[in-house]
Amino acid sequence: MSILVTRPHPDNEATAESLRARGHAVLLAPVLKFEPAAFHGESEAPYGAVLVTSANAIRAVAPQLPDLGVLELPLFAVGEHTAAAAREAGFTEVIVAGGDAASLRDKVMQSARERVLKKSTLLYLAGADLSRDLGGELGAEGFRVVTQTTYRMAPVKHLPREVCEGFAAHGVEAVLHYSRRSARAFLDAARDEGVEISALAILHCCLSETVAGVLRDAGASQVLVAATPDESALFDTLERALRTRLA
């Protein structure tokens, strides 16, 4: 029995490696494809800090960052995975939030209250599809946020053949979901491939309650949510559920 990982490349490879190290068989079905967007940054813009809610936002513009003069600015990252990408790109002052956009907003506001960060202009490197209006929420708190779209995630129309065969043979034990968009893309692809019934009948482990809602609305009956929005907690949720089945 295999665990199906739906997150995009290259993050899916790291997830698969971690799962295999824990003794799981893994199938990969990246249901969103990373596409960099045209980015025109201002090298002399007076930004006070950078906000990032996805490692993909950094990957998309990494070659341009030295010329933009932002690497010396504090960067607020949504979680540790994104923070690692920021450090790799050259940022030296990285502040890590709790794993979602709400905690990132709160971390920025806390830094302002503690006078670590002035209420200056913030550069938000973002994806084309935003699940939360982070710029608007911080704007209501007195910040000016410049949102720059650096990438988009395009849905993949088809699941890999081995994944479809896995569903047909009842060989997929659980699916891991990391975002609302990828959960929707997975369901659409499963429907197009004719494996929707099998897909909805198995265990779905989700990074947050927001992601889980997509699966529940579609009719999935076994939907679990990680205790905290990070991969370690997601793995723990998965393995507790699998142990319960064996007990």
Side-chain angles (χ1 to χ4, degrees):
M1 299 288 279
S2 298
I3 308 303
L4 179 61
V5 177
T6 60
R7 70 188 313 195
H9 180 80
D11 294 327
N12 61 348
E13 297 289 353
T15 296
E17 183 178 346
S18 297
L19 287 169
R20 292 182 184 118
R22 289 171 174 248
H24 299 288
V26 180
L27 286 171
L28 297 179
V31 294
L32 296 175
K33 182 180 179 181
F34 171 71
E35 297 179 349
F39 176 74
H40 304 288
E42 300 178 29
S43 59
E44 301 300 324
Y47 299 121
V50 181
L51 312 179
V52 186
T53 50
S54 170
N56 284 323
I58 298 172
R59 292 179 184 132
V61 296
Q64 298 170 251
L65 290 174
D67 294 334
L68 293 177
V70 298
L71 290 177
E72 66 275 10
L73 296 177
L75 180 139
F76 289 82
V78 69
E80 187 53 52
H81 177 68
T82 302
R87 296 186 191 103
E88 184 176 349
F91 286 94
T92 56
E93 184 181 352
V94 180
I95 301 97
V96 187
D100 57 21
S103 67
L104 180 60
R105 175 204 62 204
D106 293 344
K107 181 69 72 173
V108 171
M109 291 169 57
Q110 177 187 356
S111 295
R113 287 195 300 270
E114 295 173 353
R115 301 187 183 280
V116 175
L117 174 68
K118 295 181 180 179
K119 287 193 175 181
S120 56
T121 301
L122 307 178
L123 173 62
Y124 178 20
L125 302 178
D129 297 281
L130 300 176
S131 60
R132 190 182 190 112
D133 184 11
L134 180 62
E137 292 176 22
L138 287 171
E141 297 295 330
F143 294 93
R144 178 172 180 262
V145 181
V146 175
T147 301
Q148 291 276 9
T149 298
T150 68
Y151 75 101
R152 62 180 56 85
M153 301 302 293
V156 173
K157 299 296 184 181
H158 301 287
L159 297 174
R161 178 180 298 178
E162 61 269 23
V163 172
C164 294
E165 291 173 349
F167 277 121
H170 303 288
V172 180
E173 191 168 23
V175 187
L176 301 184
H177 299 280
Y178 288 73
S179 73
R180 287 176 60 88
R181 288 204 73 225
S182 65
R184 289 195 187 100
F186 166 74
L187 291 169
D188 290 343
R191 187 179 305 114
D192 290 345
E193 296 286 1
V195 297
E196 181 182 22
I197 294 175
S198 297
L200 290 175
I202 63 175
L203 175 66
H204 294 269
C205 295
C206 304
L207 200 64
S208 71
E209 188 61 46
T210 302
V211 180
V214 176
L215 280 305
R216 294 195 186 102
D217 290 346
S221 58
Q222 303 177 65
V223 182
L224 298 177
V225 180
T228 55
D230 59 80
E231 189 169 72
S232 178
L234 186 65
F235 287 172
D236 290 344
T237 298
L238 168 70
E239 293 182 333
R240 279 197 302 272
L242 297 182
R243 286 195 298 269
T244 299
R245 290 184 174 186
L246 295 174

